[in-house]
């Protein structure tokens, strides 16, 4: 499993979760701590002005009270994610399908080989790709808002 955090320009932080390990709230908190360190290093201007936003889905670890308290304590602005809306999760509608397309023809020897190839693909994704991703997110949110949050065909 891959946890990946990115912005309009590039991947900020990613981690591969050990095979068989479950992402629970405690693990997610540890990942968020490493994300904070990565933001501090890679986006010092955003860190200094606290201009970062976090959009994650409604998975149980993301919604856990301890996680929400931690994010609040560190003044992290989180964008609410409507339930049952993978169409509004950039990793689900853009990043993972893109990676799947790049990796689908390859045969992998073991999980280390998968990690190596996936890491290469993450590093090769262009800045234009991230811009396109967030443009798609904007258009998808706009459709949802225009529909009053209701389900519509073509989601």
């Amino acid at each position: 499993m891959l946890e990946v955090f990115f912005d309009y320009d590039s991947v900020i932080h990613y981690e591969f979760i050990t095979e068989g390990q479950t992402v629970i709230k405690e693990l997610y908190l540890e990942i968020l701590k490493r994300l904070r360190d990565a933001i501090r290093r890679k986006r010092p201007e955003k860190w200094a002005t606290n201009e970062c936003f976090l959009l994650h889905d409604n998975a149980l670890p993301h919604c856990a009270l301890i996680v929400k308290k931690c994010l609040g304590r560190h003044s992290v602005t989180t964008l609410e994610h409507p339930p049952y809306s993978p169409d509004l999760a950039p990793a689900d509608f853009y990043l993972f399908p893109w990676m799947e397309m790049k990796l689908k023809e390859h045969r992998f020897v073991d999980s280390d080989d998968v990690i190596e190839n996936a890491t290469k693909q993450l590093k090769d994704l262009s800045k234009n790709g991230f811009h396109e991703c967030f443009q798609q997110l904007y258009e998808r949110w706009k459709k949802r808002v225009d529909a009053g949050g209701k389900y519509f065909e073509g989601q």
Side-chain angles (χ1 to χ4, degrees):
M1 183 186 327
L2 172 63
E3 288 280 347
V4 62
F5 300 87
F6 56 95
D7 67 5
Y8 204 72
D9 292 320
S10 65
V11 172
I12 297 172
H13 181 69
Y14 64 92
E15 292 187 26
F16 291 91
I17 307 303
T18 307
E19 192 173 340
Q21 186 174 16
T22 303
V23 178
I24 58 173
K25 59 188 172 196
E26 292 82 6
L27 175 58
Y28 193 62
L29 276 176
E30 292 300 316
I31 292 169
L32 289 176
K33 287 177 188 174
R34 291 187 286 274
L35 171 62
R36 286 174 43 82
D37 291 340
I39 293 169
R40 190 175 319 156
R41 281 190 326 276
K42 295 179 179 180
R43 301 291 189 274
E45 69 289 350
K46 300 276 187 202
W47 179 263
T49 57
N50 197 25
E51 291 181 21
C52 296
F53 296 87
L54 179 63
L55 171 62
H56 54 196
D57 61 21
N58 295 317
L60 290 176
H62 303 170
C63 299
L65 184 58
I66 192 171
V67 170
K68 288 183 176 188
K69 283 183 177 181
C70 177
L71 293 171
R73 193 168 48 251
H74 293 290
S75 302
V76 175
T77 302
T78 57
L79 303 175
E80 292 299 319
H81 190 273
Y84 312 110
S85 300
D87 61 312
L88 297 177
D92 289 343
F93 72 75
Y94 185 81
L95 184 63
F96 293 146
W98 181 86
M99 287 183 68
E100 182 180 354
M101 180 186 68
K102 293 290 188 176
L103 297 172
K104 74 178 178 181
E105 300 284 323
H106 299 281
R107 294 225 179 252
F108 301 105
V109 177
D110 55 23
S111 59
D112 289 337
D113 196 20
V114 173
I115 290 170
E116 179 182 330
N117 281 278
T119 299
K120 181 185 181 313
Q121 293 305 322
L122 283 173
K123 291 179 179 179
D124 285 349
L125 187 58
S126 72
K127 188 174 188 172
N128 287 342
F130 290 103
H131 289 217
E132 181 184 329
C133 172
F134 282 91
Q135 183 61 40
Q136 284 183 25
L137 177 62
Y138 170 79
E139 291 166 8
R140 288 164 181 255
W141 270 101
K142 185 169 180 354
K143 282 182 184 177
R144 180 62 63 95
V145 169
D146 290 348
K150 295 180 181 158
Y151 178 82
F152 56 90
E153 290 299 319
Q155 282 189 310

